[in-house]
């Protein structure tokens, strides 16, 4: 199908883009989710503001123990940047799992988190990394945690007129792993589990588990984290913790997987991700 007609603007500055958005225009980044939705007439914006050409939103910087990633940084840039690979390998490994090479060349981290598809990959890693998301409107800027940003299916903490400006993740020396069950046609996560683990004196001193695909939006599996903290991380510790990952959340059911199957996948992939991260910790 062909999208409904729309007005297209490619502003030169972020202020200009935010001014157009304050007037009701919708941001366009890599177009990998928005354009298909427009072609299917699931979205019918009358005016689009192209953020993809704003150079000052495309960067990866390190400062004070964090990486700062501009919203229009593509999935391929996150996957391949030596800084992300060496300082936050969980994020680069997650980016490498997104869709196919065309999608990764065009799609952006800001577009992915703003879109908040319940099967998107980044949210699992951003939950496990306790990332912060910087939101900017015409007159103000604020920072929210990943835990507060992802609210529901395709629903985030973004207010009208705000954009995702930047993602902030910690430089991370823990053992990490992202394991996902792929939806075979698109590559989206039927379930995806991101884990980071640190050990001290033979015991797990930190464990963070981010989950995507299972429920309406991504979340931290805190019951499983609490079950593992202080343990040695034996195979039985890991199995018992993985069984807690789907606990307390509503599991989605659709043509790709029933709720019961998704819960089963969550425990299996959590066990794999925990074992792989522990082997590195
Ligand atoms: C064939 C195919 C396979 C895919 N497979 C996967 C996969 O396996 N895993 C996965 O995670 N994703 C997958 N995707 C989705 C892909 O990652 C998209 O790139 C991403 O969801 C949207 O990013 P974008 O830059 O393309 O945003 P766009 O499509 O341009 O925009 C998406 C939405 O976000 C808004 N938006 C964009 N940028 C901003 C911003 N900075 N601030 C506020 N709002 C903004 C737009 O208004 C729109 O509502 C796939 C897509 C396709 C087409």
């Amino acid at each position: 199908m062909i999208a409904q007609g729309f007005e297209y603007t490619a502003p030169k500055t972020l202020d200009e883009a935010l001014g157009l958005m304050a007037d009701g225009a919708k941001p366009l980044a890599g177009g990998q989710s928005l354009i298909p939705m427009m072609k299917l007439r699931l979205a019918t914006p009358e005016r689009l503001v192209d953020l993809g050409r704003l150079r000052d939103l495309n960067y990866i910087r390190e400062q004070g123990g964090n990486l700062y990633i501009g919203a229009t940084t593509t999935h391929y840039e996150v996957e391949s940047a030596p800084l992300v690979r060496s300082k936050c390998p969980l994020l680069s490994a997650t980016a490498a799992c997104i869709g196919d090479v065309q999608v990764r060349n065009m799609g952006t981290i800001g577009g992915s988190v703003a879109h908040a598809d319940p099967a998107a990959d980044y949210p699992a890693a951003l939950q496990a990394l306790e990332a912060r998301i910087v939101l900017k409107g015409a007159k103000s800027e604020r920072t929210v945690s990943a835990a507060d940003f992802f609210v529901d299916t395709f629903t985030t903490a973004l207010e009208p007129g705000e954009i995702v400006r930047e993602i902030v993740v910690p430089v991370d020396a823990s053992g990490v792993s992202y394991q996902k069950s792929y939806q075979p046609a698109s590559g989206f996560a039927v379930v995806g589990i991101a884990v980071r683990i640190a050990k001290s004196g033979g015991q797990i001193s930190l464990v963070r588990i981010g989950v995507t695909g299972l429920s309406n939006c991504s979340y931290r599996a805190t019951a499983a984290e609490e079950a593992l903290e202080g343990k040695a991380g034996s195979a039985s510790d890991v199995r018992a913790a993985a069984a807690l990952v789907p606990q307390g959340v509503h599991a989605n059911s659709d043509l790709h997987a029933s709720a019961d199957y998704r819960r089963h996948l969550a425990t299996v992939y959590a066990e794999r991700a925990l074992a792989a991260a522990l082997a590195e910790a």
Side-chain angles (χ1 to χ4, degrees):
M1 276 175 71
I2 297 171
Q4 175 184 286
F6 55 90
E7 193 183 304
Y8 169 87
T9 313
K12 298 246 174 352
T13 66
L14 181 54
D15 284 346
E16 201 188 330
L18 290 168
L20 290 161
M21 283 179 59
D23 268 353
K26 187 167 178 59
L28 169 72
Q32 297 301 293
S33 294
L34 183 55
I35 300 293
M37 287 180 73
M38 288 169 65
K39 287 184 167 180
L40 292 167
R41 307 273 171 123
L42 295 171
T44 52
E46 290 175 2
R47 288 187 294 148
L48 289 183
V49 185
D50 193 345
L51 304 181
R53 291 162 192 262
L54 292 176
R55 291 225 176 121
D56 45 3
L57 286 182
N58 184 296
Y59 55 85
I60 300 171
R61 297 181 192 125
E62 180 186 7
Q63 196 187 342
N66 291 305
L67 295 187
Y68 296 81
I69 303 176
T72 61
T73 308
T74 64
H75 309 327
Y76 174 72
E77 287 164 339
V78 175
E79 168 193 355
S80 60
L83 197 54
V84 188
R85 283 191 169 182
S86 61
K87 302 287 174 80
C88 192
L90 180 58
L91 199 63
S92 58
T94 304
C97 289
I98 295 175
D100 53 39
V101 75
Q102 289 92 337
V103 170
R104 294 198 293 279
N105 273 329
M106 295 294 293
T108 67
I109 189 167
S112 176
V113 301
H115 190 55
D117 192 309
D121 292 290
Y122 279 129
L126 297 181
Q127 296 278 4
L129 289 162
E130 299 172 280
R132 287 173 287 143
I133 298 165
V134 181
L135 311 180
K136 186 162 174 57
K139 297 204 171 111
S140 60
E141 184 165 285
R142 64 196 175 106
T143 300
V144 292
S145 65
D148 291 335
F149 180 78
F150 296 105
V151 174
D152 205 340
T153 304
F154 302 119
T155 307
T156 69
L158 275 165
E159 296 287 349
E162 279 184 329
I163 61 156
V164 172
R165 185 177 72 72
E166 182 178 76
I167 317 291
V168 187
V169 291
V171 169
D172 190 40
S174 23
V176 296
S177 178
Y178 180 60
Q179 300 284 329
K180 104 192 227 196
S181 164
Y182 288 79
Q183 198 279 314
S186 67
F188 273 102
V190 180
V191 167
I193 310 279
V195 168
R196 64 183 178 121
I197 290 186
K199 281 183 102 174
S200 163
Q203 292 184 326
I204 294 173
S205 53
L206 174 140
V207 52
R208 296 288 180 268
I209 305 170
V211 184
T212 192
L214 179 69
S215 193
N216 292 354
C217 69
S218 61
Y219 66 95
R220 281 241 326 264
T222 48
E225 292 172 3
E226 282 162 18
L228 267 180
E229 260 164 42
K231 298 269 170 58
S234 66
S236 61
D237 292 340
V238 165
R239 197 164 308 119
L244 297 174
V245 165
Q247 185 175 287
V249 296
H250 163 84
N252 285 338
S253 180
D254 59 22
L255 75 169
H256 303 305
S258 67
D260 277 348
Y261 185 53
R262 271 199 166 79
R263 278 190 284 268
H264 172 69
L265 286 176
T267 60
V268 171
Y269 281 80
E271 199 171 329
R272 287 185 192 174
L274 286 164
L278 269 165
E280 279 185 9

